Amino acid sequence: MAVPRLTLFAIVSKDMGESLAFYRRLGLDIPADADSAPHVETVLPGGIKLAWDSVETVRSYDPDWSAPTGGHRSAVAFEYPDPQAVDTAYAELVDAGYVGHIKPWDAVWGQRYAIVLDPDGIAVDLYAPLPA
């Protein structure tokens, strides 16, 4: 059996413009004219793609699709160069009106770590290695 290669993470968005605005604030290069597109992709450093599909797009091939409920948690995680960058990104996102889920803290696993929710309620982890 061939081993697959992970190349893309996809987010289903109820409002493409709102979702893309959030990820632009993280510094992702997403064209402004993408806000009304049914499907959008951007290539992240390292080559993995992050994609967004509108609910309508997903329902065009999966008519019974519905948003997850219950204890399901998915996350997108972004590594920053240093702990201060995590604090800055968190503050900028919360100041812009996004939901801060977990304030930055020094996690026991050796990272400065925080969580902000994107407009679709997806947890976006912000982290950086702590100095040794």
Side-chain angles (χ1 to χ4, degrees):
M1 174 191 237
V3 178
R5 185 172 61 108
L6 179 63
T7 61
L8 183 138
F9 285 95
I11 294 171
V12 179
S13 178
K14 63 184 179 288
D15 185 314
M16 190 68 78
E18 283 183 12
S19 188
L20 297 180
F22 174 88
Y23 289 93
R24 283 185 190 107
R25 282 193 174 271
L26 286 175
L28 301 188
D29 184 20
I30 305 166
D33 64 353
D35 288 3
S36 60
H39 175 85
V40 177
E41 292 182 11
T42 189
V43 179
L44 303 173
I48 291 181
K49 296 176 191 172
L50 183 57
W52 298 263
D53 288 307
S54 67
V55 171
E56 295 79 15
T57 297
V58 173
R59 286 192 177 141
S60 74
Y61 62 83
D62 184 358
D64 297 325
W65 180 88
S66 63
T69 59
H72 176 74
R73 179 187 188 269
S74 59
V76 178
F78 290 93
E79 182 177 358
Y80 284 83
D82 57 64
Q84 182 57 44
V86 170
D87 293 359
T88 300
Y90 180 90
E92 288 176 357
L93 290 164
V94 170
D95 288 349
Y98 298 104
V99 176
H101 183 66
I102 296 178
K103 292 180 180 179
W105 66 292
D106 292 345
V108 297
W109 55 83
Q111 293 175 334
R112 184 72 173 167
Y113 183 81
I115 299 176
V116 178
L117 301 181
D118 82 355
D120 293 296
I122 295 172
V124 177
D125 301 353
L126 314 174
Y127 71 94
L130 290 171

